[in-house]
Amino acid sequence: MDDKILKRLQRKFFYVPVTLGWVFIILACILIFGISYTQSIAQVENSLLKAQARPYFDSVNNDKFIYIFVDEGKLSPLYLEDAFTEEEINEVIEKITEGKIVGNKFSTKSGKRYMFEKSISRLTEKETVKYVLIDYTDTHQTLSTLAATLGCISVISMMAILAFYYFYAAKAIQPVKQSFARQQELIANASHELKTPLTIVRTNLELIGSDPSATVEDNKKWLESAEYQVGRMHTLILDMLELTKFEATNTSVERTPLEVNDIVEGMMLSFEATCYEKSISLSFSARETLKVIANKTEIEKLTSILLDNAIKYTPHGGKIKVDISRQRKNVVLSFYNTGEGISPEDIKNIFNRFFKADLSHKETSNSFGLGLSIAQSIVQSLKGDITCESQVGQYTKFIVELPKYTETEK
């Protein structure tokens, strides 16, 4: 994955949500205005129909209505004098006289807007035309103000979405970049770690091949050296597979409520012989039986890594203590061992891949510094946290906090 692919992915994180956000805002504003417009015009039309059916000015908004009667070409307006000026009435009469009105709405030169209903009555031999008009200028201005307001809101919202996703896209792509960088780092470090054992194996094979007459016994030390280095490479490959597995999103892993006490105690039994050989005191304590949501293999691997690490750095006659307790809503697993401890500088890097606090045996040890990285990946996949406390020359303690399972979670 190169920079071009990352930039293309970043653009997708930007353009797709921005487009969807803009479409949503535009449609929402159109819907709000459409509903408001329909309701307002319907209310005006309803008032107009009621005014047409009632006696003159027997309605709520009397000052909004104008009645015009056309009898043999003569127009007779009827209205409340305080509500309309003579100029406004003349403009209305002019519009009706022109007969160029399309629909039932029109506007005048003074900016007034009217809606009307036309009816014809034949009570006598003469035909009388009646126009009932309503002034809906205020309603039109309200709708215009609403349209302008929604327009401003939509523009501001669209700019806000644009700004948000401009920064979000860059931030959203960071985990991908980090994952890619970690992958490159893993490959680079693994290549470096494999270089030494492969070189040694090649050298041993060349030495064996240099003397065709030599027996297996004669080449025993070269064969043993090659076998040991192959074992180191095998360990590295297995550790890398474990790390990749636990760093992946384990959606397919079946996790159930487990009694963590039993699993930890069971794993401690498999380390008793090693502790006995080094005269290490191994003890376990738990105040109560506690459960977590996990896969048994995950807890076993986590316990194995931390116990193996503790035994490796505990001197002869030292002590290892494993404690399980409850702290609020978490199950706390504590792995304590006496020994040289870890410096504050090294603690900052203790969970980094291929990091080893003790570099004196780096080329000959079977440890490649992946164990604690695997442990951290397991804990993080279980939505927990792992930390390290140490005092140089005295002790080291790893503390694992996992969410506690309760019966209500069923």
Side-chain angles (χ1 to χ4, degrees):
M1 183 180 292
D2 56 16
D3 291 339
K4 290 183 178 180
I5 297 176
L6 289 173
K7 288 180 179 178
R8 193 180 304 127
L9 183 62
Q10 183 174 343
R11 284 196 294 269
K12 287 183 178 180
F13 272 106
F14 175 72
Y15 288 119
V16 173
V18 166
T19 303
L20 293 176
W22 283 13
V23 170
F24 174 78
I25 290 173
I26 292 172
L27 291 178
C29 290
I30 292 174
L31 181 62
I32 292 172
F33 180 78
I35 293 174
S36 301
Y37 179 85
T38 303
Q39 291 178 343
S40 299
I41 297 300
Q43 187 176 359
V44 173
E45 290 177 342
N46 187 47
S47 299
L48 186 59
L49 291 173
K50 288 180 179 179
Q52 186 184 34
R54 292 177 178 177
Y56 306 140
F57 308 116
D58 185 16
S59 62
V60 178
N61 298 318
N62 294 329
D63 58 344
K64 297 292 183 181
F65 295 102
I66 301 174
Y67 295 87
I68 297 179
F69 300 91
V70 182
D71 188 1
E72 295 182 350
K74 183 180 179 181
L75 279 68
S76 301
L78 185 62
Y79 58 94
L80 294 179
E81 295 183 359
D82 295 337
F84 298 92
T85 64
E86 186 176 347
E87 181 183 357
E88 291 172 343
I89 297 300
N90 290 334
E91 288 179 339
V92 170
I93 293 174
E94 183 182 351
K95 279 286 186 179
I96 293 177
T97 303
E98 288 176 356
K100 296 181 180 179
I101 302 173
V102 179
N104 68 334
K105 303 183 186 73
F106 66 88
S107 60
T108 62
K109 295 177 181 179
S110 60
K112 290 285 187 176
R113 291 183 176 269
Y114 298 92
M115 185 183 298
F116 69 91
E117 287 291 335
K118 178 182 178 182
S119 62
I120 301 174
S121 62
R122 294 184 177 85
L123 298 178
T124 63
E125 294 181 358
K126 297 179 181 180
E127 183 179 87
T128 303
V129 179
K130 183 175 72 171
Y131 290 89
V132 181
L133 300 95
I134 184 171
D135 178 5
Y136 76 104
T137 305
D138 292 342
T139 301
H140 182 270
Q141 289 177 347
T142 300
L143 291 173
S144 298
T145 302
L146 176 62
T149 302
L150 290 174
C152 292
I153 291 174
S154 64
V155 170
I156 293 173
S157 300
M158 290 165 70
M159 292 301 102
I161 288 176
L162 186 68
F164 174 78
Y165 280 107
Y166 177 80
F167 294 103
Y168 170 78
K171 187 175 181 181
I173 205 70
Q174 285 303 316
V176 180
K177 289 183 177 180
Q178 291 174 359
S179 178
F180 179 54
R182 287 168 66 88
Q183 185 182 39
Q184 288 183 315
E185 180 186 0
L186 179 62
I187 294 172
N189 289 333
S191 301
H192 176 73
E193 293 290 344
L194 286 170
K195 182 179 179 180
T196 299
L198 282 173
T199 302
I200 295 174
V201 169
R202 181 178 180 178
T203 302
N204 290 333
L205 292 177
E206 288 177 351
L207 289 171
I208 293 172
S210 64
D211 187 3
S213 62
T215 63
V216 173
E217 184 66 28
D218 295 335
N219 294 318
K220 183 178 180 180
K221 66 176 181 178
W222 311 123
L223 292 170
E224 288 179 348
S225 175
E227 182 182 7
Y228 176 75
Q229 296 301 330
V230 170
R232 291 188 71 226
M233 288 188 288
H234 181 258
T235 300
L236 173 59
I237 293 171
L238 290 180
D239 285 346
M240 289 175 63
L241 290 174
E242 289 283 350
L243 183 61
T244 303
K245 180 179 71 174
F246 288 115
E247 282 190 343
T249 304
N250 298 322
T251 53
S252 59
V253 175
E254 182 179 354
R255 290 169 174 162
T256 57
L258 299 175
E259 291 187 0
V260 69
N261 306 52
D262 295 339
I263 299 175
V264 173
E265 278 193 285
M267 290 302 299
M268 290 179 67
L269 291 174
S270 61
F271 286 90
E272 283 187 346
T274 306
C275 290
Y276 178 78
E277 290 179 358
K278 294 183 66 176
S279 300
I280 295 174
S281 171
L282 181 63
S283 61
F284 172 79
S285 64
R287 298 170 183 81
E288 57 182 311
T289 300
L290 298 169
K291 292 183 178 181
V292 297
I293 298 290
N295 181 277
K296 185 178 180 182
T297 303
E298 293 174 322
I299 302 300
E300 288 179 341
K301 184 65 178 179
L302 174 64
T303 305
S304 175
I305 290 172
L306 295 178
L307 282 175
D308 181 68
N309 189 75
I311 293 172
K312 187 182 301 181
Y313 295 102
T314 300
H316 283 269
K319 296 180 180 180
I320 296 177
K321 297 179 182 178
V322 180
D323 178 75
I324 299 177
S325 61
R326 177 176 60 178
Q327 185 175 6
R328 297 177 182 175
K329 295 183 179 181
N330 292 329
V331 175
V332 180
L333 286 72
S334 173
F335 295 81
Y336 170 94
N337 69 277
T338 57
E340 296 181 2
I342 306 171
S343 67
E345 292 77 15
D346 288 338
I347 286 182
K348 297 177 183 178
N349 304 306
I350 198 69
F351 296 107
N352 292 346
R353 299 171 179 177
F354 296 100
F355 178 81
K356 296 175 68 175
D358 182 11
L359 300 178
S360 58
H361 304 290
K362 183 175 181 180
E363 303 300 335
T364 58
S365 171
N366 273 328
S367 173
F368 290 90
L370 289 176
L372 291 178
S373 295
I374 296 172
Q376 185 183 52
S377 297
I378 295 173
V379 173
Q380 290 176 347
S381 70
L382 295 175
K383 296 180 171 50
D385 186 45
I386 181 171
T387 56
C388 176
E389 297 178 2
S390 184
Q391 189 168 346
V392 177
Q394 296 190 25
Y395 74 92
T396 299
K397 181 165 68 172
F398 286 91
I399 302 169
V400 177
E401 295 185 22
L402 300 175
K404 178 181 175 294
Y405 168 77
T406 57
E407 297 297 327
T408 57
E409 296 180 27
K410 291 182 178 180

